[in-house]
Amino acid sequence: MGKESTDRGFVLLGIKYEAAALGGVGETGLARIEEQIRTEAGDSWATNEQVIRGRNAVRAEHGLAPLGEPPRETVRGADPAVRPLWRRLFGG
């Protein structure tokens, strides 16, 4: 497996982890995902640049600040058309 596909895999694992965390899968489910990431990326997975990139992509999709940054201010009355498509379709 080349570096590019490894990096892409780590980004996807970060997306999976953050989506699960924000989706409230519970401690057991999150622990399983952490173990999967640890197996693939090693014990320093939480600081892996590509894993963080994936996690931050999910956070941005939800309007949250990137990891390690202060929370963003919410914009009240924001134009619904600016929200991601899945939020417009399913609410939120």
Side-chain angles (χ1 to χ4, degrees), residues 4-29:
E4 184 177 322
S5 60
T6 302
D7 287 350
R8 191 173 309 151
F10 289 169
V11 170
L12 292 173
L13 287 170
I15 290 170
K16 180 178 181 178
Y17 178 85
E18 197 66 24
L22 293 175
V25 298
E27 289 182 34
T28 305

Side-chain angles (χ1 to χ4, degrees), residues 42-81:
D43 288 334
S44 61
W45 69 270
T47 58
N48 181 292
E49 184 178 312
Q50 297 304 315
V51 173
I52 291 172
R53 180 176 173 194
R55 291 183 67 190
N56 282 336
V58 173
R59 294 179 66 79
E61 188 71 18
H62 286 271
L64 300 171
L67 295 169
E69 291 187 12
R72 293 181 178 163
E73 288 186 34
T74 57
V75 179
R76 304 219 184 252
D79 181 4

